[in-house]
Amino acid sequence: SLAASAVISPLVLHERRPTTPHGWSLHRRADPEITVPLTFALAQSNLDSLDSYLLDVADPTSPNYGKHWSPAKVAATFRPSSETINVVRTWLINDGGVDPSRLRLSKDNGYLDLNATVAEAEAMLATQYFVYEHDDGTRHIACEDGYHLPKHVSDHVDTVWPTVHFDVTPVSRRSADTVT
């Protein structure tokens, strides 16, 4: 229904960085026309059951004792739900004005990628982007202190890059891409 598709959701602060990391300084506002590769790390499923899964394999009295999970089973168990993927995609398309052809879902369904201009990213995330410079001359684009998502979307996103993090390629993403 039309009413169901028009979700009204207040913006919430999703992540914040209280200070600029050591060695980095604010250089200038980012050019609104440059393109940044936005990555939305989608919330994983079944994390609330992680302890019971681990105990089931570790408990000598369990019939599953010592039956370690394959990487494929781990990936399948914790893969973001279809609901999570749909909520984030729908928000980007309907509220962000993003053409669906611009969205790429990673092979493991853990990440939704989008090349966006700084102006688009600022509008979507209710933030401002700046260029930071490291003492060694390296430059990095990041939000000044935090970014926002609609509440109904925030529940389905772990983090967004680049935003408040200064690890340009997140370690979790590098390792996830090497798992087959």
Side-chain angles (χ1 to χ4, degrees):
S1 78
L2 184 60
S5 66
V7 176
I8 304 296
S9 186
L11 285 179
V12 295
L13 181 65
H14 190 72
E15 276 189 290
R16 179 169 195 281
R17 182 188 63 251
T19 60
T20 301
H22 180 72
W24 290 93
S25 58
L26 188 70
H27 184 59
R28 63 177 167 78
R29 276 283 267 132
D31 176 346
E33 298 306 311
I34 65 166
T35 299
V36 292
L38 274 186
T39 296
F40 294 82
L42 303 174
Q44 294 178 296
S45 299
N46 299 315
L47 289 180
D48 54 335
S49 301
L50 182 59
D51 286 348
S52 63
Y53 295 148
L54 291 172
L55 290 173
D56 189 41
V57 176
D59 181 355
T61 64
S62 166
N64 295 316
Y65 177 65
K67 294 181 182 172
H68 299 288
W69 291 17
S70 67
K73 183 173 180 179
V74 171
T77 302
F78 298 108
R79 174 175 290 130
S81 68
S82 297
E83 179 192 6
T84 287
I85 295 165
N86 290 336
V87 164
V88 178
R89 273 183 56 87
T90 300
W91 166 68
L92 287 168
I93 293 165
N94 292 349
D95 297 349
V98 175
D99 188 283
S101 66
R102 293 173 57 199
L103 297 174
R104 292 174 314 283
L105 187 62
S106 65
K107 194 167 52 174
D108 66 359
N109 290 2
Y111 302 91
L112 199 53
D113 295 312
L114 160 70
N115 288 329
T117 65
V118 165
E120 286 177 310
E122 288 181 341
M124 278 184 245
L125 303 174
T127 192
Q128 290 187 327
Y129 276 89
F130 291 84
V131 175
Y132 289 82
E133 191 167 305
H134 192 268
D135 294 343
D136 69 8
T138 304
R139 289 192 175 170
H140 177 62
I141 289 182
C143 301
E144 187 173 15
D145 60 6
Y147 64 98
H148 301 78
L149 292 171
K151 174 69 176 113
H152 78 282
V153 173
S154 181
D155 296 338
H156 295 279
V157 173
D158 281 338
T159 192
V160 181
W161 294 286
T163 52
V164 297
H165 305 281
F166 275 70
D167 51 344
V168 180
T169 303
V171 173
S172 61
R173 179 63 189 265
R174 281 198 304 261
S175 58
D177 282 347
T178 62
V179 175
T180 55

